[in-house]
Amino acid sequence: MNGAQIATRLQEVYLSGKWIANTNYLEQINNLNWQQATQKINSLNSIASLVYHIKYYLEGLQIAFTQHQLTISDKFSFDMPSITNEADWQHLKATFIQQAEVFIELVGKMDEDALAVPFIQEKYGSTWRNIEGVLEHSYYHLGQIVLLKKLLLKE
């Protein structure tokens, strides 16, 4: 598999696909207001916190790929700034979309050799393994977002 093929899969989950989950992040978050996006159901994460969580990893991987530094940590991946109005929510959505687009473009330019090299350190596996991990992680949280949205909107 090459970067262009992987980029197509990333495009599907984040911005425009319907093949695997019959939806994508953009479709799920596009018509939510800030109150819906931040509403918690019991102890579950909010939709906004899940969007932030995935954006956090996309941004961290982009930095790792371009600057060869691992600047992210799981323990900070849900440290979302407060969303207290529609502008805050719109900003999170816009930065998520922008980060997804940048990540997709970056991965799309990778050749098979770039995908095969170790990610930062040997212990983290290959670059491909880490991209595949974020892809699977993204589908996992997309499923949660779909369920949360159904509960919130009583669909």
Side-chain angles (χ1 to χ4, degrees), residues 15-97:
L15 303 174
S16 63
K18 294 207 179 230
W19 184 57
I20 299 292
N22 199 34
T23 190
N24 58 69
Y25 276 79
L26 183 58
E27 182 176 274
Q28 289 301 308
I29 65 175
N30 207 29
N31 62 351
L32 293 175
N33 63 43
W34 75 274
Q35 293 99 338
Q36 293 165 326
T38 58
Q39 185 174 341
K40 290 192 53 109
I41 297 174
N42 299 321
S43 63
L44 303 175
N45 290 308
S46 70
I47 290 172
S49 68
L50 293 169
V51 170
Y52 175 83
H53 178 70
I54 293 299
K55 181 193 83 66
Y56 176 85
Y57 281 105
L58 293 177
E59 185 174 27
L61 286 173
Q62 177 195 345
I63 291 167
F65 295 155
T66 59
Q67 300 174 22
H68 308 291
Q69 296 177 20
L70 192 56
T71 60
I72 56 176
S73 173
D74 292 345
K75 67 182 176 181
F76 301 122
S77 66
F78 280 103
D79 289 354
M80 179 181 74
S82 294
I83 294 178
T84 59
N85 56 49
E86 190 64 29
D88 292 342
W89 170 234
Q90 293 301 323
H91 177 73
L92 175 59
K93 288 194 315 185
T95 58
F96 169 79
I97 292 164

Side-chain angles (χ1 to χ4, degrees), residues 66-136:
T66 59
Q67 300 174 22
H68 308 291
Q69 296 177 20
L70 192 56
T71 60
I72 56 176
S73 173
D74 292 345
K75 67 182 176 181
F76 301 122
S77 66
F78 280 103
D79 289 354
M80 179 181 74
S82 294
I83 294 178
T84 59
N85 56 49
E86 190 64 29
D88 292 342
W89 170 234
Q90 293 301 323
H91 177 73
L92 175 59
K93 288 194 315 185
T95 58
F96 169 79
I97 292 164
Q98 178 186 27
Q99 193 60 57
E101 290 170 342
V102 168
F103 188 73
I104 292 164
E105 182 178 346
L106 181 64
V107 170
K109 293 177 182 177
M110 292 181 179
D111 61 21
E112 289 181 25
D113 291 338
L115 293 168
V117 299
F119 176 75
I120 306 297
Q121 299 176 17
E122 290 264 345
K123 69 180 181 179
Y124 297 126
S126 68
T127 297
W128 159 242
R129 181 174 184 251
N130 282 270
I131 296 168
E132 183 179 44
V134 81
L135 183 60
E136 291 174 5

Side-chain angles (χ1 to χ4, degrees), residues 132-144:
E132 183 179 44
V134 81
L135 183 60
E136 291 174 5
H137 187 208
S138 295
Y139 273 112
Y140 169 76
H141 287 307
L142 176 59
Q144 291 176 327

